[in-house]
Amino acid sequence: MRADRLVAALLLLQARGRVTAAELAEELEVSVATARRDLEALSAAGIPVYPQPGRGGGWQLVGGARTDLSGLTAAESQALFLLLGPAGSGEPVLASALRKLVHALPATFRADAEAAARAVVSDPAGWGEAERETPALVRALRDAVVRRRKVRLTYRGTERLVDPLGLADKDGTWYLVAGTEAGRRTFRVDRVDSAEVTDLRAEHPDDFDLPAEWARVVAEMERRRSLVSAVVLIDARFLPVLRSHFARHCEVIGQEDGRVRARVGAHLVRSIAEQLAGWGAMVEVVEPESVRAELARIGRELTERHAEHRPAGS
């Protein structure tokens, strides 16, 4: 992201004193034009960065100026440590980085920042589940994203060379967003047969925004997960339970005879019927007829199966 590059450019200027656009481009692995635009953006933002023409010239911080990159407000520092504190408890490297950041904060902020870091504990494992650890494959792919290296993936039996752009953790399931010859694709990491990080330079668009791309992926997946819908009637007191079953695919559309009319969705007619079957007479399916017919079929199947096991004389 551009904000990351601007910070990296400023750190490089502070470390070297003076750099050319070509040197910065090589260091940040971007084009010379992009590096020049970043330097100009720093100058436009009020940071005393100016170009020095002529032989031996370049861009430099005037007068050896230094910029305090820890200039967070009290609220910002607390928010940062509330977010990173739980992760730091399980990652020694991150915990060390957080300690260093604490010391970089203004003294008046440190106590609240340290308290924020200890205010929340994150336990991603459900009851009865083993503790979740980041898979080794995820760590390798994460390294490839950071280092911008192409990865040779074998995914569901097909091998392809991809440009890794970012990773997303969706409720414990990891996904890789990558560029391919066929365009941008998303791969479920636990379905990757093998992955080899190469020394080839990966292409990474300057304007790529991982949160925005992941939001697009989620929206598309949710659309596919609700290709079929049904209208149901249910007592208002049971509506929260219905919503917990169908989550974002449950929409209240009105009321009728003291009951709530709602639209629920899933990817198949069978999926909707299976989720509603356990409700018995508490839910009435108004439409479509295909869901009503599937519910009736499930009912007959259950009746026939369990009628076979009636005790003698019953």
Side-chain angles (χ1 to χ4, degrees):
M1 294 177 66
R2 192 184 189 205
D4 299 330
R5 294 202 317 271
L6 293 177
V7 171
L10 184 52
L11 288 172
L12 190 65
L13 279 164
Q14 291 185 163
R16 297 186 183 179
R18 177 184 299 174
V19 296
T20 65
E23 290 171 341
L24 182 62
E26 182 179 3
E27 188 73 25
L28 301 183
E29 298 181 327
V30 297
S31 67
V32 174
T34 296
R36 187 174 293 111
R37 285 196 298 269
D38 287 347
L39 289 165
E40 291 170 349
L42 287 174
S43 180
I47 296 173
V49 180
Y50 295 95
Q52 301 295 318
R55 184 168 179 168
W59 291 74
Q60 70 179 74
L61 284 170
V62 175
R66 306 288 292 180
T67 299
D68 181 10
L69 295 179
S70 66
L72 303 171
T73 66
E76 289 170 342
S77 64
Q78 289 178 35
L80 177 64
F81 279 83
L82 279 169
L83 177 65
L84 298 180
S89 62
E91 292 283 349
V93 174
L94 181 54
S96 175
L98 288 174
R99 285 195 298 270
K100 292 176 181 178
L101 182 56
V102 165
H103 292 297
L105 290 172
T108 54
F109 293 175
R110 291 175 192 168
D112 286 346
E114 290 176 329
R118 295 192 298 266
V120 177
V121 63
S122 177
D123 183 2
W127 295 110
E129 293 182 356
E131 183 178 353
R132 294 179 185 175
E133 294 184 1
T134 302
L137 180 54
V138 170
R139 294 195 294 270
L141 292 172
R142 185 171 58 195
D143 182 62
V145 172
V146 173
R147 294 174 52 231
R148 297 193 178 183
R149 293 293 178 265
K150 289 182 180 290
V151 176
R152 187 166 284 107
L153 282 184
T154 302
Y155 189 75
R156 292 183 167 179
T158 302
E159 183 178 296
R160 63 195 85 190
L161 191 64
V162 305
D163 298 306
L165 300 174
L167 287 155
D169 177 5
K170 181 73 168 174
D171 193 27
T173 300
W174 286 89
Y175 296 85
L176 171 70
V177 180
T180 73
E181 291 183 351
R184 201 166 290 168
R185 295 290 185 270
T186 302
F187 302 91
R188 183 164 162 162
V189 175
D190 60 4
R191 294 176 182 169
V192 172
D193 301 316
S194 65
E196 175 194 354
V197 180
T198 73
D199 290 329
L200 300 174
R201 176 71 181 162
E203 296 182 11
H204 194 289
D206 290 344
D207 60 350
F208 177 71
D209 186 329
L210 180 58
E213 176 64 17
W214 182 245
R216 186 196 66 77
V217 170
V218 169
E220 174 60 19
M221 289 301 296
E222 293 292 359
R223 185 190 68 79
R224 294 181 185 178
R225 285 164 56 90
S226 59
L227 293 176
V228 180
S229 66
V231 175
V232 303
L233 290 172
I234 185 173
D235 191 301
R237 59 181 169 164
F238 298 128
L239 180 62
V241 184
L242 185 71
R243 278 179 164 156
S244 71
H245 277 237
F246 287 92
R248 67 175 68 189
H249 303 305
C250 177
E251 174 192 6
V252 174
I253 56 177
Q255 292 188 345
E256 182 175 317
D257 299 328
R259 292 182 294 175
V260 173
R261 177 180 286 259
R263 179 179 287 108
V264 296
H267 64 298
L268 296 171
V269 167
R270 183 185 179 91
S271 297
I272 295 180
E274 287 175 344
Q275 293 189 66
L276 294 177
W279 289 76
M282 291 190 295
V283 170
E284 178 187 349
V285 176
V286 178
E287 58 180 44
E289 184 58 35
S290 57
V291 174
R292 293 171 59 89
E294 181 63 16
L295 272 171
R297 186 198 65 77
I298 292 174
R300 289 192 299 271
E301 186 178 86
L302 289 171
T303 300
E304 292 169 4
R305 172 57 57 86
H306 292 84
E308 294 174 1
H309 300 286
R310 286 179 182 171
S314 63

